[in-house]
């Protein structure tokens, strides 16, 4: 978890998450639940972006292939 927080999100996000975790510890909350939720949110966002890119690339390639077929038939 620490590797992910430090190297995937960057030092600034790592420090912010550490401060928030310490604040939650003071209020008797569970820091591990916060870290898991935070990491899960980041992974979800990255997955959504990659899925969107995949759909756009597929649409672009379909358009290029269609235009190439049209040119070859002429």
């Amino acid at each position: 978890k620490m590797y992910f927080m430090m190297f995937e999100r960057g030092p600034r996000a790592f420090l912010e998450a550490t401060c928030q975790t310490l604040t939650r510890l003071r209020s008797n909350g569970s820091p591990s639940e916060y870290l898991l939720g935070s990491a899960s949110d980041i992974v979800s966002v990255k997955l959504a972006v990659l899925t969107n890119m995949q759909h756009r690339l597929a649409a672009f390639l379909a358009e290029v292939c269609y235009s190439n077929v049209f040119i070859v038939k002429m």
Side-chain angles (χ1 to χ4, degrees):
K1 292 177 194 173
M2 297 305 279
Y3 174 84
F4 177 79
M5 295 296 291
M6 184 64 175
F7 295 108
E8 292 293 322
R9 294 186 64 199
R12 183 180 210 179
F14 174 75
L15 290 175
E16 289 174 2
T18 302
C19 290
Q20 289 175 354
T21 301
L22 292 174
T23 302
R24 285 183 180 257
L25 279 175
R26 286 188 211 138
S27 63
N28 296 328
S30 174
S32 61
E33 288 179 14
Y34 170 75
L35 288 176
L36 288 174
S38 177
S40 174
D41 291 343
I42 291 169
V43 169
S44 296
V45 167
K46 287 185 178 185
L47 181 62
V49 168
L50 290 173
T51 302
N52 188 359
M53 288 173 60
Q54 180 183 21
H55 289 286
R56 290 177 185 260
L57 179 60
F60 172 75
L61 290 175
E63 211 171 294
V64 168
C65 289
Y66 177 76
S67 65
N68 284 342
V69 168
F70 181 72
I71 290 171
V72 170
K73 285 187 176 184
M74 290 181 83

